[in-house]
Amino acid sequence: MIMRLYSATVYLFLYVPIGIIVLFSFNSGRHASDFEGLSLKWYGKALDNPFVLESLNTSLIIALSAACLSSLMGTGAALALQRVRGPLKTLFDSLIYISIMIPGIVIGIATLVALVTVFDLLNPMLATLWPEGVKPPKLRLGLASVIAAHTLFTMSLVIVLVRARIAGMDRSLIEASEDLYATPLRTFIQITLPQLFPAILAGFLLSFTFSFDDFIISFFVAGSNTTLPIYVFSSIRRGITPEVNAIGTIVLAVSLTLLIFAQVLLQRRDKR
Amino acid sequence: MANENNRSGLLTGALLAPATAWFLIMLIMPLIVVAIFSFGERSPVGGYVASFTFDQYANLPSRFAAFRNTLTFAPFGTLASLLIAYPLAYFLAVKVSARWKLLLLVLVIVPFWTSLLIRTYAWIFILGGKGIPAMLAFIGIDDVRLINTPFAVMVGIIYGYLPLMVFPIYVSLDKLDKRLLEASSDLGGTPFRSFLQITLPLSMPGMATGCMLVFILLMGEFLIPAFLGGGKIFFVGNALVDLFLQSRNWPFGSAVAIMLVIVMLITVTLYMRLTVGKSTGRDESLM
């Protein structure tokens, strides 16, 4: 009984703050903290704000690209790592481990410093290579650097998830398929891939959410671009407005939907 | 046969190549560049001048407060999360029926994967002047200040990282062989003694994993002190943002970042030596 009460309190602690943000996003009042009545006014305001729309667009492009890249590269690496043994395997394991464990802020700083240094080296070279009269391309921090930095973490995440799935996979089906003279490619497409698919999809969704919600890495490497979390951060710094509550609720709703989906996909694995 | 081996070797290489390139360009190279920068000098205009000096490291004591705060809040925050998380994990693993387990478990993990920015922002709202202090004033307790205090930072830490602590403990408790507990009670052990002698030691790996994950993330924390500490309680993360994005002292910032990583490695290694057992369930704990 006491355990139940305690657990209920912890769940309240976890969800009441989220609930308050959602509740106040429907506030019709002009001030963030005085609740006056229900309305969708601030959603309208937020979605009319060109800065919000632009940063939302930027965030969606980054999250989608990072999720696609990491599912493709991560799945490929997880499949290949099955066959790798010895020191090479240890090396990869530690790279995956480091990229997951190292704080986002260190990744952000290191990427910022390294990319700026490399770009400073490459830009004059590009300028000499380009034909005269044509404006040479200039490398600078932007969406691509955020995508690349996010992909480091999310790719490792996909590798971990897909490898766990491979370890728990039913090998007899693959053997049966080989015994029946299926080509390796056919075995892969018809047997392996369908079995791995839930883990890959879950990895994709988690990568998307991580990238969409990340603030600190983007803060360092986005250059002059603004992602939605960066926009929210700077508006909170300027003062709390009901508009932030509405944006926050939208962000929470997007990640909650994707997450519950991903969790269901992953938990199914344990049930079998 | 040799030909086939060759082809599968090529395929393995091709599948690993993009990931390898990513690790080299986005992880190894940046860390090396930061290490090099940390031995450099700052030019008067704010850029980097190549050189080999320990000046940046010698200057580290000027950021002592940031390191002290981080090394105080990170272990205490981890401990507080552990104490709050354990009973919940125990409840989920031992007491809850299979029907509700999945739902309740998902409900714990989900907040961790939603925006920490928004979740921390919620506490500005709750602890700020018009939140709990206003409610307290209503019942006659005036002038309570909660926001921008160590208490606020601690609440933010527990709120942010509790889910990450619950999950690995749950995993280790869930794997626990219930027959051990039955044997203990058959032999006349009280429930409390069974807990102390069986459940607690067997859940050590889960606790160790959870503590390590939370501790490492807290060491690099920026948002929670920025929002709830109001500039009075700042971590190394806040110093880093200031050095890289405001005062643009990259060489010194690099030295601070390298020092943070070193301190982290030392504490984590010491910690792993102290805790018994290998950290099992590390992979699952990410979820």
Side-chain angles (χ1 to χ4, degrees), chain A residues 41-180:
Chain A
K41 180 170 117 189
W42 293 104
Y43 285 88
K45 285 242 162 96
L47 294 174
D48 259 350
N49 183 340
F51 295 110
V52 173
L53 289 180
E54 207 198 310
S55 54
L56 176 65
N57 188 34
T58 309
S59 281
L60 287 174
I61 293 172
I62 292 173
L64 198 62
S65 318
C68 288
L69 275 173
S70 37
S71 329
L72 280 174
M73 298 195 305
T75 307
L79 285 167
L81 283 171
Q82 277 180 280
R83 299 162 182 236
V84 178
R85 295 275 174 277
L88 195 63
K89 183 173 180 291
T90 320
L91 179 71
F92 264 95
D93 284 345
S94 29
L95 283 173
I96 294 164
Y97 189 59
I98 296 172
S99 58
I100 289 179
M101 283 316 220
I102 209 158
I105 196 164
V106 176
I107 291 293
I109 286 166
T111 312
L112 166 75
V113 173
L115 289 185
V116 167
T117 312
V118 171
F119 291 165
D120 282 349
L121 283 173
L122 287 181
N123 277 331
M125 286 197 216
L126 280 175
T128 51
L129 281 174
W130 243 248
E132 221 150 302
V134 187
K135 201 165 169 268
K138 201 166 187 303
L139 297 170
R140 58 162 71 111
L141 293 173
L143 298 198
S145 41
V146 183
I147 295 167
H150 283 175
T151 301
L152 177 71
F153 175 85
T154 52
M155 180 180 72
S156 297
L157 189 69
V158 173
I159 297 179
V160 169
L161 293 176
V162 175
R163 274 173 108 183
R165 182 85 190 184
I166 291 175
M169 205 164 68
D170 190 357
R171 295 211 66 87
S172 57
L173 284 172
I174 295 177
E175 280 156 23
S177 164
E178 278 165 0
D179 288 348
L180 294 167

Side-chain angles (χ1 to χ4, degrees), chain B residues 19 21 27 44 127 131 156 185 259 286:
Chain B
L27 181 67
L127 299 175
S185 90
M259 198 60 206
L286 285 163

Side-chain angles (χ1 to χ4, degrees), chain B residues 36 39-42 48-53:
Chain B
I36 296 174
F39 292 106
E41 268 174 78
R42 184 189 189 205
Y48 160 79
V49 181
S51 107
F52 186 78
T53 152

Side-chain angles (χ1 to χ4, degrees), chain A residues 236-250:
Chain A
I236 293 172
R237 274 289 160 96
R238 282 195 302 269
I240 296 171
T241 65
E243 192 200 58
V244 173
N245 294 333
I247 302 171
T249 305
I250 296 173

Side-chain angles (χ1 to χ4, degrees), chain B residues 60-75:
Chain B
L60 278 177
S62 68
R63 298 284 163 164
F64 175 72
F67 278 96
R68 186 198 56 211
N69 287 340
T70 310
L71 284 171
T72 315
F73 278 93

